[in-house]
Amino acid sequence: MKSGGSFIESVRGSYWPTVVISLLALSPDFILSSSLGLLRPTVAQSLGAQPGLVFWASILSNAALALGAVLAADLAQRFRNRPLFFTYEVIFIAGSALGTFASNVTFLILGHAIQGLSTGLLLVAALPPLVTGFPVERLKTTIPAVVVGLFGAVTAGPLVGGFVARSGAWRLLFGATLAIGVLTMVLALLALAEKEALNPGARIDVTAILLSISGTGLVFFGVGQLMRSGWGSPVFYVPLAAGLLLLVALIVLERFRDEALMPVGPLTTTFPVMGILAAIISGAAFTGLLELTIQFLEKVRGLDAWSTGLLFWPTLAAGIVGALIVGAVLTTRWVLTLPLFGMTALAVAALLLTGVTSGTGNGWILLISGALGLGASLTVTPGLLMAALSVRPMLVGRAIALVELLRLASAYAVGPVLIYFAQSYGSQLLPGLHTAFWIVFGFMLAGIVFITLIYISGGTRIHPPGLKTFLEEGEPAFDSPPIRTHRSTDPE
């Protein structure tokens, strides 16, 4: 007993077990969600449902993920981390079991939505302690691991989806998430460190929670209705517009509220705004381009799911390369430029896609696939990092929740809209796809210009993050200036 107890004491709270627990808690749902694009026909046929109904599993799961992050940000203020983590993991296991043994599409949708909710909860429970709980030297390993674990998982989804679609064993994929959930629970019981609540006396920000739930829910509901109702239907545009207005109201109200759940004030200076916009714009572009490329490969080139999935292996490989680049420049001033390089890579991918035809070879698609992976890895996590390092460590979880709420509401709303646009553009799909690719390309160029202008308006130079100041003194790592709307005439 003594040796067993001493082993647990030596493992609990140590670095590598914490990394493994965090990645195992988050990666399965990201892989599963990004693989469903290729699995919908297989799942629908197995359950005797329309593929459009399986599409709702992705819509509701992503909406639930965004809401889970917001709820976790509030709960972390008043409860210790271990009970919360175990509760969230139990919820994930329950959702995985529901999806694995689903007898109809309703249970599948419910199970995947529960998985999304628990992953959002775990995102805030797992990432902030991993980033803030270890010495500075560990960050050069932690951040690349997070990039691989999160967006490496997303980029691995099409490859996994193609393989599973070929075998038809989609239940085994859900079963694998169930097994990983159980494994994560066991490892967390052994190795997860105990941390006290961040602010036990904090009041519940009911306004922020209600606006987050209603805004996100309406956005995703409206987008989900698009395929069924079309552009001109109020069932599409009324919920979408109302949801967007509620999310804007959330940001405005939280900006001027004392003890707000969402730290909007500290996040509205130059560097975090640059990072948040890069994450939102690039997340939407990556998701849209990925979905559109799958449509091109399956419906224009006529490839099956397995052949389509195989063409996305460079996305994963380039994502890993991007993670290594992030780690290499993390302690330098160049970390602030990564999102612009990543956005450029996504713009190049969109531009290359504007020229694809039914005769386009696999080599061209592999090049595009690599540009997508590199772009995603250099934008979303570095953008999130710019926001997180611009606030005090105790606000990191709440900053992540806000960024993820906004990013998911945009990223997973844009993809379906672009697909519907391409499909309804004309009698043939390819011209619609080309137009959609040009839209994304223009969107990326406008984003690059806009973020550059924000940087110029700040009137400061890029500088290395003060990581020791962040971790040891509890202050922001970046000295981020306010965004200037006019040139000051005061002397420096």
Side-chain angles (χ1 to χ4, degrees), residues 169-200:
W170 63 268
R171 291 185 188 274
L172 289 180
L173 182 57
F174 274 88
T177 66
L178 173 60
I180 293 173
V182 173
L183 174 63
T184 305
M185 176 73 79
V186 173
L187 292 176
L189 286 169
L190 293 174
L192 188 67
E194 183 81 58
K195 294 186 181 296
E196 295 300 320
L198 296 173
N199 187 7

Side-chain angles (χ1 to χ4, degrees), residues 18-194:
T18 304
V19 172
V20 171
I21 290 169
S22 300
L23 298 187
L24 287 179
L26 300 174
S27 298
D29 183 64
F30 285 106
I31 294 175
L32 178 60
S33 294
S34 59
S35 68
L36 279 180
L38 288 170
L39 284 174
R40 285 181 200 128
T42 302
V43 174
Q45 183 179 12
S46 174
L47 296 175
Q50 295 295 324
L53 288 176
V54 180
F55 173 71
W56 275 99
S58 299
I59 289 285
L60 294 180
S61 178
N62 290 315
L65 197 156
L67 298 179
V70 173
L71 293 174
D74 178 78
L75 293 171
Q77 303 303 302
R78 61 194 87 258
F79 298 105
R80 291 178 292 115
N81 69 311
R82 275 176 66 88
L84 288 176
F85 188 95
F86 297 141
T87 301
Y88 302 158
E89 197 60 50
V90 168
I91 295 172
F92 180 79
I93 291 170
S96 300
L98 200 57
T100 302
F101 301 106
S103 57
N104 56 55
V105 71
T106 301
F107 286 114
L108 177 82
I109 292 172
L110 180 60
H112 194 40
I114 291 173
Q115 286 181 312
L117 174 66
S118 56
T119 300
L121 293 165
L122 287 163
L123 185 70
V124 174
L127 284 191
L130 184 60
V131 172
T132 63
F134 296 95
V136 172
E137 295 76 18
R138 291 295 194 183
L139 280 177
K140 295 194 72 171
T141 305
T142 299
I143 301 303
V146 170
V147 177
V148 173
L150 297 188
F151 295 97
V154 172
T155 57
L159 194 61
V160 173
F163 175 78
V164 174
R166 186 185 193 187
S167 65
W170 63 268
R171 291 185 188 274
L172 289 180
L173 182 57
F174 274 88
T177 66
L178 173 60
I180 293 173
V182 173
L183 174 63
T184 305
M185 176 73 79
V186 173
L187 292 176
L189 286 169
L190 293 174
L192 188 67
E194 183 81 58

Side-chain angles (χ1 to χ4, degrees), residues 179-345:
I180 293 173
V182 173
L183 174 63
T184 305
M185 176 73 79
V186 173
L187 292 176
L189 286 169
L190 293 174
L192 188 67
E194 183 81 58
K195 294 186 181 296
E196 295 300 320
L198 296 173
N199 187 7
R203 65 177 179 82
I204 300 176
D205 194 340
V206 177
T207 302
I209 294 172
L210 290 180
L211 286 174
S212 300
I213 292 173
S214 55
T216 306
L218 286 169
V219 167
F220 279 95
F221 176 78
V223 171
Q225 291 295 327
L226 177 60
M227 295 292 183
R228 177 186 298 178
S229 305
W231 299 112
S233 172
V235 180
F236 160 63
Y237 63 77
V238 171
L240 178 63
L244 293 174
L245 286 175
L246 289 174
L247 291 177
V248 171
L250 168 70
I251 295 172
V252 173
L253 290 175
E254 292 293 276
R255 173 65 179 85
F256 299 103
R257 180 184 290 270
D258 294 333
E259 298 182 13
L261 174 62
M262 301 298 185
V264 175
L267 291 175
T268 49
T269 58
T270 300
F271 293 147
V273 169
M274 289 171 59
I276 292 170
L277 286 177
I280 291 173
I281 294 170
S282 300
F286 172 78
T287 304
L289 290 174
L290 186 66
E291 292 278 357
L292 290 168
T293 305
I294 289 174
Q295 291 285 310
F296 165 74
L297 293 173
E298 289 190 324
K299 296 183 179 180
V300 176
R301 284 196 52 189
L303 301 183
D304 59 21
W306 167 243
S307 300
T308 298
L310 278 179
L311 289 175
F312 285 99
W313 69 261
T315 310
L316 175 59
I320 295 173
V321 171
L324 296 175
I325 293 173
V326 174
V329 304
L330 178 63
T331 58
T332 73
R333 61 179 179 168
W334 302 111
V335 69
L336 289 169
T337 68
L338 289 180
L340 287 175
F341 283 107
M343 293 176 74
T344 301

Side-chain angles (χ1 to χ4, degrees), residues 344-403:
T344 301
L346 290 172
V348 169
L351 183 62
L352 293 176
L353 282 164
T354 62
V356 295
T357 67
S358 58
T360 298
N362 288 348
W364 198 249
I365 301 301
L366 292 173
L367 177 63
I368 293 169
S369 175
L372 286 174
L374 185 64
S377 63
L378 293 182
T379 51
V380 181
T381 299
L384 186 64
L385 184 67
M386 286 171 66
L389 293 180
S390 297
V391 300
R392 290 178 289 123
M394 67 176 300
L395 297 178
V396 167
R398 291 149 67 183
I400 289 175
L402 177 61
V403 177

